[in-house]
Amino acid sequence: MGKIVKIFEDEKEKYTGNCYVNTVIFRGRIPQSPKLYGNDTVKFSVQLSGGKDKETGQWRNPTYANIVAFGELGQKILKNYKEHDEIWLTAKYYTNKVDDKFYHGFIAREVITQEDLDRAEQEVKEVLNDYDLPF
């Protein structure tokens, strides 16, 4: 069992979920539509913001994360996401060495949908309504 991670936006909780060892949360765009390999392996990349340079105010070049998804989750991604779509997901980092060559990337664990974010926000509102806060 992993620890619990929470995502906040504008000081409001947007998502709660498990955070396992070597797990990351990505929010980015899919530059090219996911592709199916074999029967149940889906591969795609996520374009991630490089942020703004504090001195120049210019956007830095984006970086990319290579993602692989298997089984039902892979099929869900293949069906629901295409080029230029935004995606939120949790993934596990992996690295393998084959014939003196290293391969690395991320294995998708869960897609965080807008419905998940909306539900988490509603749950927080309901909890806060149960408290008699002094402000």
Side-chain angles (χ1 to χ4, degrees):
M1 179 84 172
K3 294 186 178 192
I4 300 295
V5 65
K6 296 180 182 219
I7 298 173
F8 292 86
E9 185 175 310
D10 296 326
E11 299 182 15
K12 295 178 185 171
E13 185 176 329
K14 296 290 283 179
Y15 171 79
T16 300
N18 288 322
C19 184
Y20 300 93
V21 174
N22 295 333
T23 296
V24 295
I25 298 172
F26 288 122
R27 178 184 181 191
R29 294 217 177 267
I30 299 173
Q32 294 180 343
S33 293
K35 292 184 175 54
L36 179 64
Y37 293 85
N39 291 331
D40 72 343
T41 303
V42 174
K43 294 181 181 182
F44 61 102
S45 293
V46 176
Q47 180 181 349
L48 306 165
S49 172
K52 277 190 175 181
D53 184 299
K54 290 181 181 181
E55 292 181 17
T56 66
Q58 298 294 313
W59 285 100
R60 295 184 187 108
N61 290 334
T63 188
Y64 296 84
N66 296 321
I67 312 289
V68 63
F70 301 102
E72 189 177 313
L73 179 58
Q75 293 300 321
K76 178 181 176 181
I77 291 168
L78 193 63
K79 177 182 175 189
N80 295 313
Y81 293 90
K82 62 186 182 317
E83 186 175 353
H84 304 298
D85 283 349
E86 181 181 40
I87 190 168
W88 286 63
L89 59 94
T90 63
K92 178 183 177 185
Y93 177 76
Y94 75 88
T95 184
N96 289 328
K97 182 180 177 185
V98 178
D99 298 328
D100 293 328
K101 189 171 182 181
F102 286 94
Y103 298 90
H104 60 90
F106 298 89
I107 299 171
R109 286 191 176 268
E110 174 187 19
V111 172
I112 304 167
T113 64
Q114 187 61 47
E115 291 79 22
D116 294 332
L117 298 172
D118 292 343
R119 185 176 54 251
E121 185 175 359
Q122 184 59 37
E123 288 171 1
V124 168
K125 285 179 183 177
E126 290 172 6
V127 168
L128 290 177
N129 286 338
D130 289 343
Y131 292 96
D132 186 20
L133 300 175
F135 49 87

